[in-house]
């Protein structure tokens, strides 16, 4: 049985790196915010200047481009904005909710991942990120309103009863408003625990932040695998990370 447990653990580690593409946050960030590299109105290229880089996470981090392949464990289109991650896998959600919104009329930056080479309880986080840039602030406002409305439908708890071992189990979801450097939106905290016979030793601690400013909507998913008994702290760490990265966007 321990061989089965180790196989399930490796599967879950892979899924956190690949499955979190569906959306689908850092230690040691401190000090004064850097000078802005750009200002609104934003372009696809200028937004990319503010996205999380391997250097923001530290030694051992690397960047991976999402190729948009629909075989991900938990898939959403790479040009979409997350609203209720993992909900498409659940069989017991009573209210229809979309896991992501595909905006109309925007230019996506594409989705990228910054992650360690090997994902596990003691590793760096997995950061999944992207943005959509619009021709006007009003179009971005309308899109953000749609995303917020859809995310509000995400239930406080749901379960995934079938599928790969990495996604089986119970999910608890909480959301709060957030504002960083003039970027306003919400932070959605998701904690996933596996069935005891699949993986009793760890849990997934994921925070998805979606924020809006001027003509852009930006999202960052920050995921850690935590040992049972450790405190969930992704919400604190992603806020620290975003204070640095969003400052680059002015």
């Amino acid at each position: 049985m321990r061989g089965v447990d180790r196989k399930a653990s490796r599967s879950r580690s892979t899924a956190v790196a690949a499955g979190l593409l569906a959306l689908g946050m850092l230690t040691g960030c401190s000090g004064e915010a850097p000078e802005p590299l750009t200002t609104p109105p934003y372009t696809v290229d200028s937004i990319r200047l503010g996205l999380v880089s391997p250097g923001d996470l530290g030694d051992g981090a690397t960047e991976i481009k999402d190729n948009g392949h629909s075989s991900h464990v938990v898939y959403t289109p790479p040009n979409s904005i997350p609203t209720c991650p993992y909900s498409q896998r659940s069989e017991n959600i009573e209210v229809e909710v979309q896991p992501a919104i595909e905006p109309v009329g925007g230019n996506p930056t594409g989705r990228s991942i910054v992650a360690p080479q090997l994902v596990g309880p003691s590793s760096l986080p997995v950061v999944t990120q992207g943005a959509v840039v619009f021709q006007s602030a009003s179009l971005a406002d309308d899109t953000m309103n749609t995303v917020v409305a859809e995310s509000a439908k995400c239930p406080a708890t749901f379960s995934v009863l079938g599928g790969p071992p990495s996604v089986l189990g119970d999910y608890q979801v909480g959301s709060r408003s957030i504002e960083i450097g003039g970027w306003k939106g919400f932070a959605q905290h998701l904690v996933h625990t596996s069935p005891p016979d699949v993986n009793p030793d760890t849990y997934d601690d994921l925070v998805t932040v979606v924020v809006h400013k001027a003509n852009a909507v930006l999202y960052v998913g920050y995921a850690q695998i935590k040992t049972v008994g450790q405190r969930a702290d992704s919400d604190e760490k992603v806020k620290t990370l975003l204070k640095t990265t969003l400052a680059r966007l002015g």
Side-chain angles (χ1 to χ4, degrees), residues 114-196:
V114 180
Q117 296 285 348
L118 181 63
V119 178
S122 61
S123 73
L124 296 171
V126 175
V127 174
T128 305
Q129 59 188 340
V132 181
V133 179
F134 299 86
Q135 290 186 344
S136 69
S138 62
L139 287 174
D141 289 341
D142 291 343
T143 297
M144 189 65 183
N145 289 338
T146 300
V147 170
V148 170
E150 194 65 26
S151 68
K153 300 177 186 177
C154 196
T157 61
F158 61 89
S159 299
V160 175
L161 306 177
S166 57
V167 299
L168 297 178
D170 298 324
Y171 293 77
Q172 299 183 34
V173 183
S175 185
R176 62 181 177 84
S177 60
I178 189 170
E179 180 176 357
I180 302 175
W183 291 81
K184 299 179 181 179
F186 63 89
Q188 185 185 80
H189 194 177
L190 182 150
V191 174
H192 165 226
T193 55
S194 300

Side-chain angles (χ1 to χ4, degrees), residues 36-187:
L37 298 177
T38 186
T39 57
Y42 299 111
T43 66
V44 166
D45 288 338
S46 68
I47 284 290
R48 285 174 177 157
L49 294 175
L51 295 179
V52 178
S53 69
D56 293 319
L57 293 190
D59 292 342
T62 187
E63 185 170 4
I64 307 164
K65 294 297 183 182
D66 179 8
N67 60 13
H69 199 282
S70 60
S71 65
H72 297 317
V73 172
V74 186
Y75 173 77
T76 56
N79 64 333
S80 63
I81 300 169
T83 54
C84 190
Y86 289 91
S87 61
Q88 70 268 49
R89 281 283 187 177
S90 177
E91 300 88 350
N92 68 345
I93 294 180
E94 297 180 355
V95 177
E96 184 177 352
V97 57
Q98 300 299 318
I101 294 293
E102 290 187 80
V104 177
N107 296 314
T109 60
R111 183 183 291 153
S112 66
I113 306 166
V114 180
Q117 296 285 348
L118 181 63
V119 178
S122 61
S123 73
L124 296 171
V126 175
V127 174
T128 305
Q129 59 188 340
V132 181
V133 179
F134 299 86
Q135 290 186 344
S136 69
S138 62
L139 287 174
D141 289 341
D142 291 343
T143 297
M144 189 65 183
N145 289 338
T146 300
V147 170
V148 170
E150 194 65 26
S151 68
K153 300 177 186 177
C154 196
T157 61
F158 61 89
S159 299
V160 175
L161 306 177
S166 57
V167 299
L168 297 178
D170 298 324
Y171 293 77
Q172 299 183 34
V173 183
S175 185
R176 62 181 177 84
S177 60
I178 189 170
E179 180 176 357
I180 302 175
W183 291 81
K184 299 179 181 179
F186 63 89

Side-chain angles (χ1 to χ4, degrees), residues 205-228:
D205 177 23
L206 166 65
V207 172
T208 302
V209 174
V210 182
V211 287
H212 159 238
K213 184 176 181 180
N215 63 318
V217 177
L218 181 148
Y219 65 87
V220 175
Y222 185 101
Q224 300 180 100
I225 297 177
K226 309 286 282 188
T227 302
V228 171

